[in-house]
């Protein structure tokens, strides 16, 4: 419903927009490599391939989206969900935060934050890890299914292109690594667990 309400701001991404998204993601990857994160160093090639897909998003719809959407930005009040904190992604400059984004960026942020919530639960509770992983996967699937159905029902399904979802989720994990390394080392266990889980999604075990 948030994205449907923002549909009046919709425009189309240019080739320069797509190149900027790809280059920004690659810059974040390079930063993490310089930090020496072993998980990222070991799987750099896979991550580069995933992020490079952002360069092909020219022509995709963009909106004046949230820009930093995750579970911590949603409140429940009197049975209604309320989205807060429209300041945009804190790692970007103020002018960059004002630029239109693909709806997939917001969806990726929420999807990945659901995965992070499960990682936190695994650390601080006695819940069975296998069961928790299954519930986490089911929650992400339910969110994505409900989102796409509702957006379609509201007549704005064209705003969401799922093709970029994996790349934007990976970029978010990389940003979490940078944040943890520079500001909150005790948070590093979350992206440490999130990265391989994301890269291995859909891989037979």
């Amino acid at each position: 419903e948030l994205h449907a309400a923002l549909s009046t701001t919709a425009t189309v991404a240019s080739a320069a927009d797509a190149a900027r998204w790809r280059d920004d993601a690659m810059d974040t990857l390079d930063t993490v490599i310089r930090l020496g994160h072993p998980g990222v160093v070991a799987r750099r090639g896979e991550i580069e391939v995933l992020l490079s897909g952002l360069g092909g998003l020219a022509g995709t719809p963009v909106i004046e989206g949230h820009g930093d959407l995750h579970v911590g930005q949603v409140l429940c009040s009197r049975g209604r969900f309320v989205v807060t904190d429209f300041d945009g992604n804190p790692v970007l400059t103020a002018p960059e935060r004002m630029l239109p984004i693909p709806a997939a960026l917001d969806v990726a942020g929420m999807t990945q934050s659901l995965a992070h919530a499960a990682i936190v639960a695994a650390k601080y509770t006695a819940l069975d890890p296998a069961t928790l992983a299954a519930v986490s996967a089911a929650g992400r699937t339910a969110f994505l299914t409900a989102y796409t159905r509702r957006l379609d029902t509201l007549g704005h399904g064209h705003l969401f292109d799922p093709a970029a979802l994996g790349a934007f989720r990976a970029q978010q994990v990389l940003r979490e690594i940078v944040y943890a390394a520079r500001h909150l080392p005790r948070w590093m266990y979350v992206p440490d667990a999130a990265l391989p889980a994301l890269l291995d999604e859909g891989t037979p075990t």
Side-chain angles (χ1 to χ4, degrees):
E1 292 174 358
L2 171 67
H3 283 169
L6 292 169
S7 64
T8 56
T9 69
T11 53
V12 176
S14 67
D17 291 328
R20 185 182 73 255
W21 297 328
R22 180 199 61 220
D23 293 346
D24 286 349
M26 291 297 187
D27 286 347
T28 304
L29 174 59
D30 288 341
T31 298
V32 176
I33 293 295
R34 288 195 297 272
L35 290 170
H37 188 278
V40 175
V41 171
R43 305 188 71 167
R44 179 175 186 168
E46 295 173 67
I47 300 169
E48 285 180 338
V49 171
L50 187 57
L51 298 180
S52 67
L54 296 176
L57 292 181
T60 197
V62 290
I63 56 175
E64 293 180 9
H66 187 284
D68 188 32
L69 194 61
H70 55 76
V71 293
Q73 309 286 37
V74 181
L75 304 176
C76 186
S77 174
R78 299 178 181 178
R80 297 178 64 243
F81 288 113
V82 180
V83 180
T84 67
D85 192 3
F86 282 80
D87 291 340
N89 196 307
V91 305
L92 302 178
T93 65
E96 289 174 319
R97 296 181 201 180
M98 297 174 64
L99 295 172
I101 59 171
L105 180 61
D106 278 349
V107 177
M110 183 62 74
T111 303
Q112 194 57 38
S113 73
L114 291 170
H116 293 175
I119 294 168
V120 173
K123 181 176 177 67
Y124 290 105
T125 73
L127 294 170
D128 174 64
T131 301
L132 190 55
V135 170
S136 175
R140 295 193 305 275
T141 298
F143 165 69
L144 289 170
T145 299
Y147 170 83
T148 53
R149 285 179 178 171
R150 184 63 174 153
L151 199 63
D152 283 342
T153 298
L154 294 171
H156 299 289
H158 65 284
L159 292 178
F160 175 58
D161 181 359
L165 202 57
F168 281 132
R169 286 179 62 191
Q171 182 183 38
Q172 181 58 40
V173 176
L174 294 174
R175 286 174 171 171
E176 298 282 348
I177 292 172
V178 175
Y179 175 75
R182 293 178 174 174
H183 306 291
L184 196 65
R186 60 188 172 86
W187 179 251
M188 189 65 80
Y189 77 93
V190 173
D192 279 352
L195 180 68
L198 171 58
L199 295 177
D200 294 338
E201 275 185 17
T203 302
T205 57

